[in-house]
Amino acid sequence: MNEYDSCWLRYERVPDDRLDAYRRRCRHAYVAEEAPELSAVRDELRRALPALLGTDPHLWQHPPTTAEGFLAVGTPDDMAMIAESVPTDVVDDLADGGYLLKSVTWNGQDCLVVTASTDRGLVYGTFHLLRLLNTHDPIADLDVREEPAYENRLLDQWDTPFHRSVERGYGGESIFDWERLPDLRPRYEDYARLLASVGVNGVVFNNVNTTKPARPSANAAFDAFEGWQLLESRRLEAFTSLASVFRRYGIRPYLSVNFAAPMLVGDLDTADPLDEEVRAWWRAKADEIYELVPDFGGFLVKADSEGQPGPYDYGRDHVDGANALARVLEPHGGRVWWRAFVYGTHEDRAVQAYDTFEPLDGDFADNVTVQVKNGPIDFQPREPVSTLFGAMPETDLGLELQITGEYTGQGVHATYHLPMWKEILDFDTHADGPGSPVGSLFRDDGEGIVGVGSVGEDHSWTGHYLAQANLYAFGRMAWDPEASAESVTEEWVHQTFGADEQVGDTVTRILHDSWEACIDYETGGLGLMHMMHNGEEYLENHYDPAPEEWPGYHGATEEGIGVNRTSTGSGYAGQYRDPVAQRYESVADCPEDLLLFFHHLPWTHELDDGTTVVQRLYDNCFAGVEETKRLRAEWQSLDGKVDERRFRHVAERFDEQVAQAERWRDVLTDYFYNHSGVPDEQGRVGDD
Ligand code: GCW
């Protein structure tokens, strides 16, 4: 990887005190037969082992006869040494993707075994082992058994085909050059490697907004193309080459489809999901896709939302729409991921997803997953969790998280999402009584976790070198939601910035403190949200402060602030199960960090510690800026300890982050002051 960063797959020479132990077991490797995934394993070992160990490893395809130790990667059927080293019934019982890593003695030699019952598991097992070498962990007594917590760990690309743009992507233009397919770019494989190394097993390659370019492209000729055209036969044929790259890494390809495709791609005059011709069109299209891409994962659909067509256009509902598509995928083992992101007809947008979908529980086909954003609004810095979690026990659900930082400073601010995701996963829904955290859902077949992608053509991939941590953490958490945030961060930092303890500790601290800082300067920290500038179509902003644009989201008046979502307001709090509903309903019990999401309160309402609401908002906005300055200083302390390119890039971004945090603080505090007329106790706000 030269034109772009290698992220956490850097493979730098391990320290001398590890070298002997590693070389003893990994100087040579045996990788069973030539399945696509195993050729990827072989390539990865060829890249990694010489770089890590400074050796030129032999890579056998047949069980070796050697007097030296070696690493064996294969299923128990592939080699007697593997079958004899691990309990084969344990291997057989592993979920798809699961694997074992084991240090063994074979013919008197120190060896290592990576085994699994599926080829995909061998890919993950190999990356796990390489991670251990990268982080200089001991490998003499390895006895690891790993299985993914969720069957589906998907990446949703909001890349707009042909335009090379990425809606809400801040890492540059799209890496996917559809116009040139079937020609492949090395970057595809490197992206697949990054994703597979953290266990992602599916990619939706195109934006859910299939009729809308994120912005007109530089090349006007491409503006004639629309995302739905990917379903045209010649496009699908070209798509096979991309699919084959990701297949080698155990990643199934998916496409977002436009619900009106029978009219747009076909020449029907309706897309009514109950119309026989429409059904026949979808069936033929699905058959065509599977003929070309046998491991195709399925369709992602955004229907009847933000201008996308859907079943409502024909007087049908979401079940009719989703099930019509599910029927044609079902014979091929494909799945429909149907998004619950709908809003528009209610005064409070928070209530709509639940109102729309909860009554449909039990009616969706077995191969439909309803994909729900983590919160009821839209990836705000902090939101309560969606009321749909735990509310649809008869339906497969997927949790949608945002890896990209649409509302968290985009590619400019160093905002780490893992602490937010942990908070979401740990939240007790009380769906099955106490002790039913969000993370315990999505565990059935057909369920899973989905991340909205963040990569682009930038050298850093993610627009900010530290934002690579969000991509890494997403995969690791979707594999193992119980892993501690600290351990995941530590892994990432060590692999990405090396073993230096000062660097490791500093970057870890920056990441872990960044989210709360962002909440403070962008919201005031009491549950307010979406005070963003919206911008024009194609130039949508969501970055600059503009609380005056969307007063409905924060409810500021002269008397008070916040949105009443209790039973005397929109009733959103009542969509949770008790005792969660009761807790949010009550001003006294509602957690402070969501207080103004659920309640409209006088500016001078006193919080638990006696501080007024408005004073706390002032204080938090100021604290957020101070914290951001502190994080910048932390980064600056690494001058000379991190390579120049990354050091400067992040340092410059921190300067802009501080300036932007100050802008937020000033705009918000002025706004609060102008509405409340209450001066800041410390005299920092208002006329000066
Ligand atoms: O709020 C919106 C985002 C859109 C996005 C949409 C969605 C892909 O601003 O950019 O469209 O959410 O999730 O469908």
Side-chain angles (χ1 to χ4, degrees), residues 157-158 166-170 207-210 212 214 302 305-306 308 339 341-343 349 371 373 377-380 400 402 406-407 452 530 534 540 542 553:
Q157 302 291 139
W158 284 352
V166 184
E167 183 164 350
R168 309 307 180 193
Y170 310 101
N207 190 359
V208 282
N209 289 330
T210 53
K212 173 181 134 190
K302 172 174 176 175
S305 170
E306 297 189 325
Q308 298 299 310
R339 294 179 82 233
F341 180 66
V342 293
Y343 67 97
R349 121 184 217 187
Q371 182 170 316
K373 287 194 188 190
I377 303 294
D378 186 19
F379 298 135
Q380 297 303 303
E400 183 181 306
Q402 204 177 42
E406 174 177 359
Y407 295 96
V452 172
H530 212 321
N534 194 48
E540 287 169 318
H542 290 184
Y553 282 120

Side-chain angles (χ1 to χ4, degrees), residues 336-365:
V336 173
W337 290 75
W338 189 268
R339 294 179 82 233
F341 180 66
V342 293
Y343 67 97
T345 54
H346 292 57
E347 201 165 307
D348 175 15
R349 121 184 217 187
V351 300
Q352 190 160 343
Y354 182 97
D355 273 6
T356 309
F357 282 90
E358 190 274 342
L360 305 178
D361 187 31
D363 296 342
F364 287 99

Side-chain angles (χ1 to χ4, degrees), residues 360-417:
L360 305 178
D361 187 31
D363 296 342
F364 287 99
D366 285 348
N367 61 328
V368 172
T369 308
V370 174
Q371 182 170 316
V372 185
K373 287 194 188 190
N374 60 267
I377 303 294
D378 186 19
F379 298 135
Q380 297 303 303
R382 174 180 266 131
E383 289 189 41
V385 307
S386 168
T387 43
L388 280 172
F389 298 139
M392 298 184 69
E394 305 303 320
T395 306
D396 289 336
L397 290 188
L399 163 64
E400 183 181 306
L401 300 168
Q402 204 177 42
I403 303 169
T404 189
E406 174 177 359
Y407 295 96
T408 52
Q410 305 187 346
V412 179
H413 301 197
T415 314
Y416 188 40
H417 292 178

Side-chain angles (χ1 to χ4, degrees), residues 38 72-78 82 86-88 90-101 113-126 144 146 479:
L38 289 166
V73 184
T75 66
D77 290 342
D78 290 323
I82 297 177
V86 295
T88 44
V90 174
V91 180
D92 291 343
D93 284 349
L94 289 170
D96 181 20
Y99 55 85
L100 305 184
L101 303 183
V113 167
V114 177
T115 189
S117 56
T118 62
D119 293 335
R120 185 182 277 130
L122 297 174
V123 174
Y124 299 145
T126 303
V144 174
E146 279 281 336
W479 180 280

Side-chain angles (χ1 to χ4, degrees), residues 244-454:
S244 67
V245 174
F246 285 77
R247 179 176 303 125
R248 294 179 72 228
Y249 292 88
I251 297 171
R252 290 179 83 176
Y254 296 71
L255 290 175
S256 289
V257 297
N258 185 302
F259 195 76
M263 300 158 76
L264 294 166
V265 185
D267 55 6
L268 303 189
D269 53 13
T270 176
D272 181 350
L274 301 191
D275 180 280
E276 279 312 318
E277 276 188 76
V278 169
R279 287 168 172 253
W281 187 88
W282 279 115
R283 183 169 300 282
K285 191 47 77 181
D287 293 347
E288 180 188 352
I289 295 173
Y290 278 93
E291 185 69 35
L292 293 165
V293 185
D295 58 339
F296 185 68
F299 297 145
L300 173 66
V301 192
K302 172 174 176 175
D304 291 313
S305 170
E306 297 189 325
Q308 298 299 310
Y312 288 175
D313 296 340
Y314 307 95
R316 316 296 184 192
D317 68 12
H318 287 280
V319 167
D320 298 324
N323 288 1
L325 298 183
R327 265 165 61 130
V328 305
L329 297 173
E330 196 272 333
H332 304 286
R335 180 162 280 278
V336 173
W337 290 75
W338 189 268
R339 294 179 82 233
F341 180 66
V342 293
Y343 67 97
T345 54
H346 292 57
E347 201 165 307
D348 175 15
R349 121 184 217 187
V351 300
Q352 190 160 343
Y354 182 97
D355 273 6
T356 309
F357 282 90
E358 190 274 342
L360 305 178
D361 187 31
D363 296 342
F364 287 99
D366 285 348
N367 61 328
V368 172
T369 308
V370 174
Q371 182 170 316
V372 185
K373 287 194 188 190
N374 60 267
I377 303 294
D378 186 19
F379 298 135
Q380 297 303 303
R382 174 180 266 131
E383 289 189 41
V385 307
S386 168
T387 43
L388 280 172
F389 298 139
M392 298 184 69
E394 305 303 320
T395 306
D396 289 336
L397 290 188
L399 163 64
E400 183 181 306
L401 300 168
Q402 204 177 42
I403 303 169
T404 189
E406 174 177 359
Y407 295 96
T408 52
Q410 305 187 346
V412 179
H413 301 197
T415 314
Y416 188 40
H417 292 178
L418 181 59
M420 163 169 44
W421 297 335
K422 289 298 259 186
E423 183 175 289
I424 294 161
L425 292 170
D426 290 345
F427 182 83
D428 192 352
T429 65
H430 287 262
D432 289 315
S436 317
V438 171
S440 68
L441 302 167
F442 325 112
R443 304 270 179 148
D444 289 343
D445 288 352
E447 300 194 303
I449 308 238
V450 181
V452 172
S454 58

